[in-house]
Amino acid sequence: MSDSVVLRTIGGMLFPYILVYGLYVQMHGEIGPGGGFQAGVLVAAAFILHALLFGKELTDRLLPTWLVDLAMSLGVLLYIGVGILGLVKGRYFLDYSVLDPTHPAHAEALGMTLVEAGVGLTVASVILTMVRKVNGESS
Amino acid sequence: MSDPVLLINVILLVIAVVTAIAAMWTRDLLGAVMLMGIYSLLLAIEWANLFAMDVSYTEAAVGAGAATILLLTALTRTGIREKAGPNFHPTALLTVLVTGGLLIYGTADMPRFGDPQAPATVNVAPEYIAQNVGKVDAGDDGPENDFGDHVPNTVTAVLASYRGYDTMFETAVIFTAGVCVILILRPLSPSARRETAQNQEDA
Amino acid sequence: MSLFATFNSIAFVVIMMIGLYTLIARQNLVKKTLGLGLFQTGIFLMYITLGVRDGGSAPILQEGADLAYSNPLPHVLILTAIVVSLSTMAVALALIIGVREEYGTIEADEIATIDRAEAEEGHEA
């Protein structure tokens, strides 16, 4: 597919915008439609498009496999870490109010943002890993 | 027919069912995958029509995007033709008719489309929309935010706050699936490869 | 009117049954996976339909507006279910690729024939 000039040009122009849109969906998840699951898929789709257009080697240099593997576990650990923080501070598991004791509503928003970031990180890296593995790339 | 939501819903579902039958009927796996992509896109419009914006987002990105790419990539390694065979399968037809008949009989008691008195709408939904969790002592000292201390998107609120445990293990399931794919498709170690070659020589 | 009001509860059963029929009648493993995916979307349709409310709007709160919002709970359940269904499909495809490399075919009946032949060889040896 990478020999088509039209596809390469248009795809190359779209790539950063898809990434920024994914970040927008991630950060805007509390206000509009969106959240970690959707943003994760969008970011993964951006990198899959990049790999389809410019070849796996370039995408691998942009985003090495070890980094994706690390992000996969970091997302889950971030989620569980927010939960355990509640236990450490003497409250319930996943009690967001420990994040900002003076203003529970803000703590709630902060907790949701952190948790959604964890979800987004995991979903994006897992989907990217799946497509890479099914495509037959060794790590 | 005064309700446009219901009318669009019926039209979209008829097209979606026809697309699904075509996707399952064809023996060309490549065509089936493309038809499933179209089916997912139709469903994404249908979710938007039924006011499920977040689900619509996800379906468009996953169903029509990521799943189609994944299936196409897999097809390059499994072949794109399905073996010819009879389309009629009496056991399958009997199973489907009995199960489907029972399910339709069971849905007779379900509330009608959009019933404001439906149990799902009356009992827990107001609680989720009011979002009282964690807001018990939202003090007056902090700076006022635009949405009266609420997260405007109730879907995110339920996802990350009310059902935090559920979402956590959902994320763990996705992580586990990723690890599974890595382990299943890992290249064989040199000793295992020698063993396989040995077995093939013996056979 | 009454058919239209209950149309979705029939449509989701029809979609599920198309998937189930494919799952039983077809031997190709990839086709079986597609049928399973179709079965899942039927369940998604049932859940989202339950959340709909007459004159409702998307469950995104608007300041000062007194709207009848849809039930957000089915949306949350299905949103996560879609992503999980993609993950499970990826695991299934990985297994199918493994089966293809081992047997050289992805038709379930041919795989059963090969297995039976190998078992008989084992008995004779």
Side-chain angles (χ1 to χ4, degrees):
Chain A
M1 206 196 271
S2 50
D3 51 342
S4 164
V5 177
V6 176
L7 280 180
R8 284 181 72 133
T9 315
I10 301 291
M13 277 163 65
L14 276 177
F15 173 69
Y17 289 103
I18 299 176
L19 272 185
V20 169
Y21 185 65
L23 283 177
Y24 163 76
V25 169
Q26 170 83 54
M27 304 314 284
H28 215 247
E30 282 86 37
I31 299 169
F37 286 96
Q38 296 94 319
V41 181
L42 278 169
V43 170
F47 283 104
I48 293 167
L49 178 74
H50 191 272
L52 283 175
L53 291 173
F54 304 109
K56 312 174 208 174
E57 293 78 19
L58 204 62
T59 316
D60 272 354
R61 246 190 305 164
L62 199 66
L63 201 66
T65 315
W66 63 266
L67 196 63
V68 181
D69 290 353
L70 196 67
M72 205 159 94
S73 16
L74 270 184
V76 182
L77 284 177
L78 178 59
Y79 203 130
I80 297 173
V82 171
I84 290 185
L85 194 68
L87 284 183
V88 170
K89 292 272 182 76
R91 302 292 293 269
Y92 300 113
F93 189 69
L94 278 176
D95 189 342
Y96 300 138
S97 59
V98 297
L99 292 166
D100 188 355
T102 55
H103 202 296
H106 284 186
E108 192 84 1
L110 182 62
M112 282 186 200
T113 311
L114 284 176
V115 158
E116 290 274 0
V119 172
L121 210 57
T122 304
V123 170
S125 44
V126 164
I127 290 179
L128 198 57
T129 310
M130 282 168 175
V131 174
R132 277 181 171 177
K133 289 295 160 189
V134 171
N135 200 16
E137 288 168 51
S138 54
S139 50
Chain B
M1 249 9 270
S2 54
D3 189 0
V5 173
L6 190 48
L7 191 63
I8 298 172
N9 164 55
V10 171
I11 295 171
L12 278 172
L13 280 182
V14 169
I15 307 174
V17 168
V18 172
T19 318
I21 292 175
M24 293 300 119
W25 186 268
T26 176
R27 295 268 165 187
D28 180 13
L29 288 178
L30 198 60
V33 169
M34 294 329 270
L35 282 168
M36 284 303 281
I38 296 171
Y39 172 81
S40 282
L41 214 51
L42 284 169
L43 278 190
I45 306 170
E46 162 76 356
W47 303 148
N49 180 44
L50 298 183
F51 307 113
M53 297 309 165
D54 292 85
V55 184
S56 178
Y57 250 122
T58 320
E59 180 78 44
V62 168
T68 310
I69 290 282
L70 199 65
L71 279 162
L72 287 178
T73 321
L75 283 187
T76 60
R77 294 176 70 180
T78 59
I80 59 165
R81 283 301 301 180
E82 193 183 346
K83 192 186 58 165
N87 275 324
F88 179 69
H89 193 294
T91 323
L93 195 66
L94 189 70
T95 314
V96 162
L97 284 181
V98 171
T99 319
L102 281 174
L103 280 174
I104 288 180
Y105 175 70
T107 56
D109 290 336
M110 270 164 73
R112 71 167 176 84
F113 182 85
D115 189 356
Q117 296 305 316
T121 312
V122 175
N123 288 330
V124 285
E127 176 78 12
Y128 289 131
I129 290 167
Q131 286 188 54
N132 291 319
V133 74
K135 304 293 191 305
V136 271
D137 50 354
D140 315 315
D141 47 339
E144 197 66 24
N145 60 19
D146 296 344
F147 299 98
D149 287 340
H150 288 264
V151 171
N153 188 354
T154 45
V155 175
T156 305
V158 176
L159 183 91
S161 187
Y162 285 83
R163 301 183 60 84
Y165 276 59
D166 181 64
T167 312
M168 186 179 87
F169 286 109
E170 212 88 62
T171 318
V173 165
I174 294 164
F175 172 73
T176 314
V179 174
C180 281
V181 172
I182 293 178
L183 289 179
I184 294 169
L185 292 179
R186 76 192 183 285
L188 287 175
S189 64
S191 63
R193 206 177 298 138
R194 268 198 302 277
E195 208 168 281
T196 316
Q198 193 73 40
N199 285 346
Q200 273 167 357
E201 272 171 33
D202 291 346
Chain C
M1 181 60 208
S2 101
L3 175 68
F4 272 61
T6 56
F7 184 80
N8 281 38
S9 39
I10 295 171
F12 94 78
V13 176
V14 170
I15 292 176
M16 275 167 73
M17 288 309 117
I18 298 170
L20 187 63
Y21 184 87
T22 315
L23 204 57
I24 304 171
R26 292 300 178 90
Q27 299 294 332
N28 190 292
L29 293 178
V30 175
K31 203 50 167 291
K32 279 180 192 278
T33 315
L34 287 179
L36 202 62
L38 202 61
F39 192 93
Q40 285 171 324
T41 55
I43 295 164
F44 300 165
L45 180 62
M46 185 193 87
Y47 268 76
I48 300 293
T49 307
L50 284 176
V52 180
R53 181 176 179 183
D54 278 343
S57 72
I60 293 163
L61 304 183
Q62 282 167 25
E63 269 309 89
D66 190 24
L67 294 167
Y69 297 106
S70 301
N71 190 350
L73 184 62
H75 300 185
V76 175
L77 297 177
I78 297 315
L79 164 62
T80 50
I82 289 177
V83 182
V84 169
S85 81
L86 176 77
S87 316
T88 48
M89 196 185 71
V91 176
L93 288 174
L95 286 170
I96 292 171
I97 290 172
V99 166
R100 163 85 183 185
E101 280 169 4
E102 186 71 26
Y103 288 89
T105 176
I106 52 164
E107 305 283 339
D109 48 355
E110 288 176 10
I111 293 166
T113 315
I114 294 173
D115 270 350
R116 223 171 293 129
E118 276 183 2
E120 279 169 17
E121 259 176 39
H123 275 296
E124 283 163 17

